[in-house]
Amino acid sequence: MPRILIIEDEESVRENILDLLEAEDFETIAAANGRIGVHLAISEVPDLILCDMIMPEIDGYGVLKALRQDPSTATIPFIFITAKSARSDFRQGMNMGADDYITKPFTRAELLSAIINRLEKYATLKRYLSPHTRINNLSPKTQLLEISLHRAIKQHNFQEFEIYYQPIVDIASGKIVAAESLLRWQSPELGMIYPTEFIPLAESTGLIIPIGKWVLKMVCQQLKSWRDAGIYSLIVAVNLSVIEFNQPDFIQKIINLIVTNDLEPHYLELELTESMIMQDINSAIATMNKLRSLGVKIAIDDFGTGYSSLIYLKNLPINTLKIDRYFIHNVASDPKKSAITKALIQMGHNLNLDVIAEGVETEAELAFLRKYDCNSMQGFLFSPALPAAEFENHVLKALKLKP
């Protein structure tokens, strides 16, 4: 499980966060002040750091500055916990390299949303380790994880994996119009393994190729099964790895899956991230054009958090813009997020794109999105990701209730 360091001098707040994270099966480390926090961060190298902004000895800014200067901790996701809400404080922290901030008092959902979002982004940095680096630096836990991953794929033929589906809902009608497919791994030896842990490992070992192939195969089979069950107009999105997207035979794999399952291509949507596209913009556009010529839909995931692809957006052959959950969180009460989100929705509409808001968790967030004509939403407010059978029952029930 991801390990999180909490640096907080107020004991009651620190204990509450520890209890909450341990209940969610995160590993935790705690520090009562900034000096201890810096020491623990360097010695333990956690997966994420939650740090109070105002503390004695070394405040949060000092902690962040020290950790960003040390190569071993420079890229660890860093989230400020603060009772201050002034824009200048937020801007100062972000300029120094913080990834996010949470304002006290915060809810369990707000905390978990920020943590999961940052862990997902951090996973993209843990790629392409050289063989020498891997041999010398893998911890015993990571070595066990790699052995288990190999076994789950090659010996157990993906039997430990399952694909969940999170509903995507049309905001105007309240109907489920699409779903995002999300991979889950239940290891007999290690328990439930978060994608943020095993996907970077799969990418660095090349195992992401068979994993991605299996996911696409299962999603296409599921689409066919749902169509046979009477669920016709449902789009299903699949997240792609950059390694998979750049494989020479990737287009042919997509063609084979469409033909084998007798699919209408426009019900399959492939999600790419900004960073994937910007690594080689010309090559990415060429591949995207080939996919679009097949009829497959393309979405840009987590828009606004990657590289500066805004100037390229008008040239990208895409159908859907997904606004990252960071901008949606507290969008109704945060003027800065509000302005950005309104602009993204309007821009998407001006480019004839469907706009989907990710991570919607409150009625206030939904009301804001409805007011500014965002097309669709996904998030815990409507439903978490569900196993395929539960998702199917949910959709079929809604169809039977349809007048």
Side-chain angles (χ1 to χ4, degrees):
M1 299 298 174
R3 191 186 335 179
I4 298 176
L5 169 61
I6 301 99
I7 308 173
E8 167 65 64
D9 65 314
E10 190 173 338
E11 184 176 3
S12 61
V13 175
R14 186 172 67 249
E15 293 299 323
N16 284 338
I17 296 174
L18 285 170
D19 290 343
L20 189 154
L21 295 182
E22 287 170 1
E24 296 292 329
D25 292 327
F26 287 104
E27 294 182 18
T28 57
I29 318 166
N33 61 50
R35 179 181 53 78
I36 298 173
V38 170
H39 173 74
L40 285 176
I42 294 172
S43 61
E44 299 291 337
V45 191
D47 297 294
L48 183 140
I49 297 169
L50 296 168
C51 184
D52 189 19
M53 188 175 284
I54 306 301
M55 294 183 295
E57 296 192 51
I58 303 177
D59 64 9
Y61 297 126
V63 171
L64 178 58
K65 181 178 180 181
L67 297 184
R68 288 295 180 253
Q69 291 175 346
D70 190 303
S72 66
T73 58
T75 60
I76 296 176
F78 190 100
I79 300 176
F80 270 128
I81 305 171
T82 176
K84 303 174 73 174
S85 58
R87 293 186 188 181
S88 58
D89 297 312
F90 168 70
R91 186 163 54 248
Q92 180 181 350
M94 300 303 281
N95 287 342
M96 292 177 65
D99 297 279
D100 203 348
Y101 82 116
I102 308 171
T103 304
K104 300 176 185 176
F106 48 80
T107 66
R108 169 187 172 278
E110 289 171 345
L111 180 64
L112 292 178
S113 175
I115 289 172
I116 292 170
N117 188 29
R118 289 306 112 191
L119 286 173
E120 288 174 351
K121 300 297 182 300
Y122 186 43
T124 64
L125 299 176
K126 299 180 178 179
R127 293 177 176 150
Y128 311 125
L129 294 174
S130 70
H132 295 297
T133 302
R134 291 177 50 75
I135 291 171
N136 293 332
N137 290 341
L138 287 185
S139 67
K141 178 181 176 181
T142 305
Q143 292 178 42
L144 177 60
L145 186 64
E146 182 174 337
I147 292 169
S148 298
L149 187 59
H150 274 278
R151 185 184 299 121
I153 295 170
K154 297 183 178 179
Q155 293 182 21
H156 298 165
N157 195 28
F158 294 96
Q159 293 179 15
E160 298 168 16
F161 291 90
E162 184 176 4
I163 298 174
Y164 279 46
Y165 296 86
Q166 184 170 37
I168 296 173
V169 180
D170 179 82
I171 292 176
S173 67
K175 296 176 182 178
I176 298 173
V177 293
E180 180 178 353
S181 58
L182 299 163
L183 187 60
R184 299 288 185 262
W185 177 23
Q186 181 69 44
S187 167
E189 300 93 356
L190 302 172
M192 179 63 76
I193 310 297
Y194 286 80
T196 50
E197 286 188 279
F198 73 82
I199 292 299
L201 185 61
E203 291 179 325
S204 67
T205 58
L207 292 174
I208 196 65
I209 300 300
I211 289 175
K213 182 179 179 180
W214 181 82
V215 169
L216 277 168
K217 176 183 175 183
M218 298 306 293
V219 167
C220 289
Q221 289 179 356
Q222 188 64 70
L223 268 169
K224 183 179 187 302
S225 174
W226 281 335
R227 187 191 62 189
D228 294 342
I231 302 172
Y232 296 104
S233 57
L234 186 73
I235 297 169
V236 178
V238 181
N239 293 281
L240 289 182
S241 159
V242 63
I243 300 174
E244 185 181 10
F245 182 66
N246 290 329
Q247 288 293 298
D249 62 345
F250 176 66
I251 299 295
Q252 190 58 50
K253 286 180 183 177
I254 298 297
I255 294 172
N256 293 341
L257 287 169
I258 291 171
V259 172
T260 301
N261 294 282
D262 191 24
L263 296 180
E264 296 177 73
H266 59 275
Y267 290 130
L268 176 65
E269 185 166 69
L270 302 178
E271 292 194 5
L272 313 175
T273 63
E274 291 181 72
S275 57
M276 285 174 59
I277 294 169
M278 295 307 295
Q279 284 187 19
D280 188 340
I281 183 71
N282 293 327
S283 176
I285 289 176
T287 302
M288 293 160 73
N289 277 323
K290 291 176 183 177
L291 291 168
R292 284 294 303 274
S293 69
L294 298 175
V296 174
K297 291 181 178 293
I298 300 175
I300 300 296
D301 193 19
D302 298 337
F303 188 80
T305 63
Y307 296 84
S308 299
S309 59
L310 190 62
I311 59 175
Y312 296 100
L313 190 60
K314 65 182 179 64
N315 297 321
L316 297 179
I318 63 176
N319 305 89
T320 306
L321 195 67
K322 301 190 75 173
I323 302 177
D324 185 72
R325 69 184 69 189
Y326 168 78
F327 296 108
I328 303 304
H329 174 63
N330 283 340
V331 67
S333 57
D334 186 318
K336 191 170 184 178
K337 290 183 179 180
S338 173
I340 292 172
T341 302
K342 284 190 287 185
L344 289 174
I345 293 171
Q346 186 62 52
M347 179 183 65
H349 289 165
N350 290 342
L351 294 171
N352 296 316
L353 302 176
D354 286 328
V355 182
I356 300 175
E358 298 183 290
V360 180
E361 296 182 350
T362 69
E363 290 290 348
E365 292 165 357
L366 177 57
F368 176 92
L369 296 168
R370 183 180 287 115
K371 179 179 179 181
Y372 293 101
D373 297 322
C374 184
N375 300 98
S376 306
M377 58 80 78
Q378 67 183 98
F380 286 169
L381 179 63
F382 184 83
S383 173
L386 302 170
E390 288 186 36
F391 178 87
E392 179 177 326
N393 290 337
H394 200 54
V395 176
L396 288 174
K397 182 179 179 181
L399 289 174
K400 289 176 182 177
L401 293 174
K402 183 178 178 182

